[in-house]
Amino acid sequence: MHDHVLDLLGAVFTRLAVQIREDPIIRATVRLQAGRSQIAEPLHLPYVDWIETSTGLLHTAADYGELHPGAGPAALARVCVAGFQGVQHVSGSLSGHADVTERVAEWWAVTRAGLAAGPGDHDS
């Protein structure tokens, strides 16, 4: 469905943004996660699976020459997940997530540009 692995990862972030805006269960999950320190019951550690999946995708992107040489997929995955969380949180605070898809699109365009290999990055 996607010509580049980075486009697939961007589509995952975009789909989640749409779910945050439209799905009441996802919105409730976001609210619970934000208030997890006030919940007495143990909760599943957040973000671990998402970071692991993103790391795998970014390793594949590196294998296909889509990332800047030397970019560490695990570190990039942690930064991408944290960046998404920050963008959606600010959108939630400022607009009740009404603009979350637009803000995520902005964030991903800038993030993808920083991750993507440029011409000559893989030349010997």
Side-chain angles (χ1 to χ4, degrees):
M1 286 185 142
H2 300 279
D3 291 334
H4 300 281
V5 178
L6 289 178
D7 294 336
L8 172 60
L9 188 56
V12 170
F13 288 124
T14 299
R15 180 66 189 136
L16 185 53
V18 168
Q19 288 178 313
I20 288 170
R21 188 184 65 208
E22 297 178 0
D23 186 328
I25 293 173
I26 299 298
R27 281 195 307 277
T29 301
V30 168
R31 283 193 305 273
L32 283 172
Q33 206 55 266
R36 72 181 275 118
S37 65
Q38 298 173 348
I39 299 172
E41 295 298 316
L43 298 173
H44 178 73
L45 196 57
Y47 315 119
V48 174
D49 295 337
W50 189 11
I51 291 169
E52 184 178 298
T53 299
S54 297
T55 299
L57 287 172
L58 288 163
H59 271 292
T60 302
D63 291 345
Y64 284 117
E66 292 183 36
L67 299 181
H68 283 294
L76 292 175
R78 289 188 298 273
V79 168
C80 286
V81 170
F84 176 89
Q85 285 303 108
V87 168
Q88 73 81 19
H89 177 75
V90 170
S91 172
S93 296
L94 298 179
S95 75
H97 290 117
D99 67 350
V100 69
T101 55
E102 293 82 7
R103 299 300 72 85
V104 166
E106 287 175 340
W107 163 77
W108 184 247
V110 171
T111 300
R112 189 190 190 292
L115 297 175
D121 275 349
H122 298 281
D123 294 343
S124 304

